[in-house]
């Protein structure tokens, strides 16, 4: 019974939020890009470079992996030498394998 009441309250809150959050007035000036009060000279929807996006995503992935590598040096004294060496070597091999794969696929070349 408690779960039915909880679901009902959640459903009621979602409906209420959906009704209250809708904008009823659609103004042309509010929907247009803002350039210091002047009409825009060009299109505000310029095509986005997919190559730049791919390089940015690869950078983020390798940046997160570097932050995962940092604690390896700090746990050297705490853990067993074999397990530390095996784990760090395996992680670096996977990281370098991913880098090699990206290089072979040509994702790291800026101009193509």
């Amino acid at each position: 019974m408690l779960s039915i009441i909880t679901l009902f309250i959640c459903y009621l809150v979602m409906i209420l939020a959906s009704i209250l959050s809708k904008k009823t007035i659609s103004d042309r000036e509010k929907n247009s890009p803002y350039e210091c009060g002047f009409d825009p000279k060009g299109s505000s929807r310029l095509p986005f470079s997919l190559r730049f996006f791919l390089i940015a995503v690869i950078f983020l992935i390798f940046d997160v992996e570097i932050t995962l590598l940092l604690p390896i040096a700090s746990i050297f004294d705490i853990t067993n030498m074999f397990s530390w060496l095996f784990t760090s070597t395996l992680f670096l091999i996977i990281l370098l394998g991913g880098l090699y794969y990206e290089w072979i696929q040509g994702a790291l070349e800026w101009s193509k």
Side-chain angles (χ1 to χ4, degrees), residues 26-35 37-40 44-45:
S26 179
D27 189 15
R28 185 183 79 83
E29 293 296 326
K30 288 184 180 179
N31 291 334
S32 67
Y34 179 71
E35 289 186 9
F38 299 105
D39 289 332
S44 63
R45 306 287 186 241

Side-chain angles (χ1 to χ4, degrees), residues 58-69:
I58 290 171
F59 171 76
L60 285 175
I61 290 171
F62 283 108
D63 194 38
V64 169
E65 289 173 349
I66 292 298
T67 60
L68 291 174
L69 275 175

Side-chain angles (χ1 to χ4, degrees), residues 12 22 24 28 44 46 49 59 68 77-78 88 104-105 107:
L12 185 68
K22 291 189 179 187
T24 57
R28 185 183 79 83
S44 63
L46 296 175
S49 172
F59 171 76
L68 291 174
D77 296 334
I78 302 170
S88 60
I104 294 298
Q105 292 295 322

